[in-house]
Amino acid sequence: MEYYPTLITLHIIFAGGWIISLVTDSFLKQFISRRKGLPEEKTLISLYLNFSNLIGIIGSIGILLTGIIMVIMNPGYGFFQMTANHWLTTKQILTVVLLIVIFVFVIPNAKKLRKSINDEISKQESLGDEAYKNLSRAYRLNIIINVIVLINFLFAITHRFLG
């Protein structure tokens, strides 16, 4: 248990990274929409994909590993035990849903979007309908991810007050 405070700190830092992603996501979307059809639009979309990917990888792996270790180390916690800690079980279920959304929807869509951007960069053309469709889907998926992360964050900070 001597490392438990360090794990909690790391867990909070990884969660903070995802919360920062929630804030920066809206700014990047605004920059992209303001430059629609301009040459820098593709660069901004690539930045959006890279940033979302990097924060997503760091946040998801960090949260997952520190969360699992904390549950193993703390005898008062358990995996998917609704009777003991309903808030924790809800967070665990939401995390599983989050990982499913990421692996089943976000990653394949990001690959399609990146491919269409790279194809159009090589042709030096503006983005086509398929790229905008994939970009719109990426926006929606990131909103879903951000909502799940925010709900998990709220469970984490309010569980001591709500019982």
Side-chain angles (χ1 to χ4, degrees):
M1 283 298 253
E2 66 186 81
Y3 299 109
Y4 198 76
T6 304
L7 282 172
I8 291 173
T9 302
L10 287 171
H11 199 71
I12 291 168
I13 290 170
F14 290 126
W18 252 348
I19 298 298
I20 288 170
S21 175
L22 184 142
V23 174
T24 58
D25 189 63
S26 61
F27 287 116
L28 285 171
K29 285 188 221 178
Q30 287 177 8
F31 286 135
I32 292 168
S33 67
R34 287 184 191 148
R35 283 145 182 94
K36 186 173 182 174
L38 299 175
E40 60 265 18
E41 178 187 31
K42 295 172 195 167
T43 305
L44 287 170
I45 293 171
S46 289
L47 174 67
Y48 178 77
L49 289 173
N50 288 337
F51 184 78
S52 298
N53 188 26
L54 181 64
I55 294 297
I57 289 171
I58 293 170
S60 62
I61 292 173
I63 290 284
L64 196 59
L65 291 178
T66 56
I68 289 170
I69 295 168
M70 286 191 307
V71 169
I72 291 169
M73 289 179 73
N74 190 328
Y77 293 160
F79 292 105
F80 303 103
Q81 294 178 346
M82 190 59 89
T83 56
N85 296 298
H86 65 285
W87 65 272
L88 181 60
T89 303
T90 306
K91 283 177 56 68
Q92 291 168 347
I93 291 168
L94 286 172
T95 300
V96 169
V97 169
L98 184 65
L99 292 173
I100 290 169
V101 168
I102 289 170
F103 285 106
V104 173
F105 299 106
V106 172
I107 292 172
N109 185 69
K111 286 181 180 178
K112 287 179 192 174
L113 179 56
R114 187 166 306 283
K115 182 184 180 316
S116 59
I117 289 171
N118 289 338
D119 289 348
E120 288 158 7
I121 285 175
S122 65
K123 297 177 192 173
Q124 296 187 351
E125 294 179 4
S126 61
L127 294 178
D129 292 338
E130 186 68 24
Y132 285 120
K133 181 178 140 188
N134 290 327
L135 180 61
S136 177
R137 181 177 288 147
Y139 288 165
R140 285 192 309 273
L141 290 168
N142 276 338
I143 288 171
I144 291 168
I145 288 171
N146 288 334
V147 166
I148 293 172
V149 167
L150 187 61
I151 291 169
N152 264 354
F153 181 76
L154 292 174
F155 273 119
I157 63 171
T158 62
H159 77 274
R160 289 184 175 90
F161 306 115
L162 302 176

